[in-house]
Amino acid sequence: MKLVGLTGGIASGKSTVAKMLRDAGIEVIDADVLARDAVAPGSAGLAAIHERFGDAVLSSDGSLNRPILGALVFVDDGARRDLNAIVHPEVARLAAERLSALREAGVDVAVYEVPLLFENGLDTVMDATILVACPEDVQLTRVMARDGLSEAAARARVAAQMPLAEKRSRAGFVIENDSDLRSLAQQVRTAWRAATGLTLPSPVI
């Protein structure tokens, strides 16, 4: 099975591209969904986070309080490293289970949608990589509107990720999400054909 890594900076439009691929019938594994499963109530991941960060990161129902945890780790490199050390191994285990099931089902090509593709060295195990990129000012505007953040907080979240220039240099294919959906869809078709040698089986919009 051919595996394509899909990544992008925060608010770059990666999830929009992933939806286009799903709508075209492509199997997409979302690392963010796996990360939520890894810290679900009762999980070993959530217990480890509670031990490291304390009661403040738990909601009244015992689930993870993501806004509070996010505010902690996006301004503290050490805290972010600790969180990643807890969550990433469990996400990798869940991803391996899902990929194994797809292989057994005879799926020819799948996408692994993961924000930290390059940061975690996952690009080295992909058959191809696609980066979704957009200008930083667009990122900031989207993050502020989506998450209700100040400009300073939004900048901290963007700065916490690998610089876009480095991601561009490492990506096999780059989709520029700086126009409208029709332009984005055309780029998705082009990048998919270049990355896999296949034509998407149905329109993406």
Side-chain angles (χ1 to χ4, degrees):
M1 183 178 70
K2 180 173 287 189
L3 186 59
V4 178
L6 174 66
T7 193
I10 185 171
S12 63
K14 170 178 56 65
S15 296
T16 300
V17 171
K19 183 180 185 303
M20 288 179 173
L21 292 171
R22 284 192 187 91
D23 290 346
I26 304 301
E27 292 284 352
V28 179
I29 300 171
D30 186 343
D32 284 341
V33 172
L34 298 183
R36 287 194 289 272
D37 292 342
V39 297
S43 68
L46 182 58
I49 290 172
H50 181 208
E51 181 177 357
R52 166 61 179 82
F53 295 98
D55 292 341
V57 300
L58 295 184
S59 300
S60 58
D61 62 359
S63 63
L64 184 64
N65 188 318
R66 294 179 183 278
I68 289 181
L69 181 61
L72 288 172
V73 302
F74 279 107
V75 296
D76 185 330
D77 289 343
R80 186 165 61 252
R81 285 193 295 269
D82 289 346
L83 177 63
N84 290 340
I86 293 169
V87 175
H88 290 169
E90 183 63 10
V91 171
R93 183 186 68 79
L94 295 172
E97 289 180 354
R98 179 73 188 280
L99 289 169
S100 178
L102 292 178
R103 288 189 183 95
E104 290 179 5
V107 173
D108 293 326
V109 59
V111 169
Y112 190 29
E113 178 193 355
V114 52
L116 302 179
L117 181 76
F118 300 117
E119 290 89 335
N120 292 337
L122 293 174
D123 54 315
T124 61
V125 297
M126 300 292 155
D127 295 295
T129 57
I130 298 174
L131 169 70
V132 184
C134 71
E136 184 174 306
D137 61 329
V138 175
Q139 272 187 291
L140 291 172
T141 299
R142 290 175 179 170
V143 172
M144 292 167 65
R146 186 189 69 187
D147 298 339
L149 298 176
S150 66
E151 182 176 345
R155 286 188 181 279
R157 297 207 173 192
V158 171
Q161 298 188 332
M162 179 183 288
L164 182 58
E166 185 173 350
K167 290 185 178 184
R168 286 181 183 277
S169 70
R170 295 176 61 171
F173 307 93
V174 180
I175 292 173
E176 302 290 352
N177 185 19
D178 56 2
S179 185
D180 56 23
L181 280 176
R182 188 167 298 279
S183 171
L184 180 62
Q186 182 56 51
Q187 290 188 72
V188 170
R189 294 187 189 96
T190 301
W192 185 254
R193 188 179 304 111
T196 67
L198 303 172
T199 300
L200 285 174
S202 62
V204 293
I205 59 171

